[in-house]
Amino acid sequence: SALVQSFKAVAANQSVVAVRSFNLKELLIDVLRSLHYETRRKVSEVLIECPDNIKLHSDAGALTQIISNLVMNSLRHGFAGQGVSNENNITITVESHPNGAFLNEIRLRYRDSGSGILGNIAPHIFEPFFTTKRDDGGTGIGLPVVKELAEQRLKGHIHFIAGDQKGTNENQGACFELSIPQDIRE
């Protein structure tokens, strides 16, 4: 029953370009629940660290697509060729920054424990049609779409953080930080 409700919520979010108020943690739970069939084959734990009370007035569909694309990239690239392992995990951490670049900024950090993104590839990941999986059906449009959604529909920005948070190790997973206003009308 919960899975069906999540599918309905995610489908509604992705099909409508409408700004509305929603609870961020509930949206994240719905998106990840709808992707459970995919994640359960490679990821042992998906962790959401988000306060229960963060409300956004934003484009839920754009945010749903961003999270879905990041999860699918982790599965296709970060955990490629792997089965479920206790070391395979995805963590989404959300913090509110009232004095960020935007009024009442929300920072969402998405991190996986996969193979990471090599330093020579990282500068190109947001370029349309750049892919390392062309022979496996990759199109190179996933992350460019994520960037476009973040900037145009959510009025924010997204960037890649290499390796560990200091950027010194390329093989400790991929990390993206999305910064968006809590209310895109402001």
Side-chain angles (χ1 to χ4, degrees):
S1 160
L3 184 59
V4 170
Q5 290 301 99
S6 292
F7 280 134
K8 285 180 181 179
V10 169
N13 286 339
Q14 287 183 329
S15 65
V16 176
V17 178
V19 174
R20 64 178 178 88
S21 293
F22 58 93
N23 179 287
L24 180 56
K25 187 170 186 177
E26 289 173 10
L27 179 123
L28 293 172
I29 290 168
D30 283 343
V31 172
L32 294 169
R33 189 179 291 142
S34 74
L35 295 171
H36 178 73
Y37 180 76
E38 299 291 333
T39 59
R40 72 184 175 109
R41 293 187 264 170
K42 295 190 179 193
V43 178
S44 63
E45 181 178 32
V46 179
L47 182 62
I48 299 172
E49 297 172 347
C50 178
D52 294 334
N53 62 345
I54 294 182
K55 298 268 189 207
L56 296 182
H57 191 86
S58 191
D59 186 336
L63 189 54
T64 295
Q65 286 180 271
I66 288 170
I67 299 302
S68 297
N69 281 7
L70 292 175
V71 169
M72 295 310 293
N73 270 3
S74 292
L75 300 177
R76 290 183 187 130
H77 299 281
F79 303 123
Q82 299 179 27
V84 174
S85 163
N86 287 338
E87 296 176 10
N88 292 357
N89 56 61
I90 293 171
T91 303
I92 298 173
T93 306
V94 177
E95 298 174 330
S96 180
H97 288 270
N99 299 319
F102 310 108
L103 186 62
N104 296 320
E105 179 178 274
I106 299 298
R107 290 189 191 153
L108 184 149
R109 184 167 283 194
Y110 175 95
R111 176 183 295 283
D112 72 34
S113 62
S115 59
I117 298 174
L118 296 175
N120 62 330
I121 293 171
H124 305 286
I125 61 174
F126 291 113
E127 293 175 10
F129 309 112
F130 177 82
T131 181
T132 59
K133 299 281 188 187
R134 189 148 331 269
D135 294 338
D136 295 329
T139 60
I141 60 171
L143 287 177
V145 165
V146 164
K147 184 174 177 62
E148 178 78 12
L149 291 169
E151 292 175 353
Q152 301 302 315
R153 288 180 45 190
L154 297 179
K155 309 295 186 215
H157 50 82
I158 189 166
H159 65 276
F160 170 70
I161 300 171
D164 61 18
Q165 291 183 352
K166 297 174 218 97
T168 57
N169 186 339
E170 297 168 338
N171 294 319
Q172 291 193 5
C175 183
F176 293 87
E177 186 172 88
L178 172 68
S179 298
I180 58 173
Q182 194 164 348
D183 188 334
I184 63 173
R185 298 171 297 184
E186 296 176 351

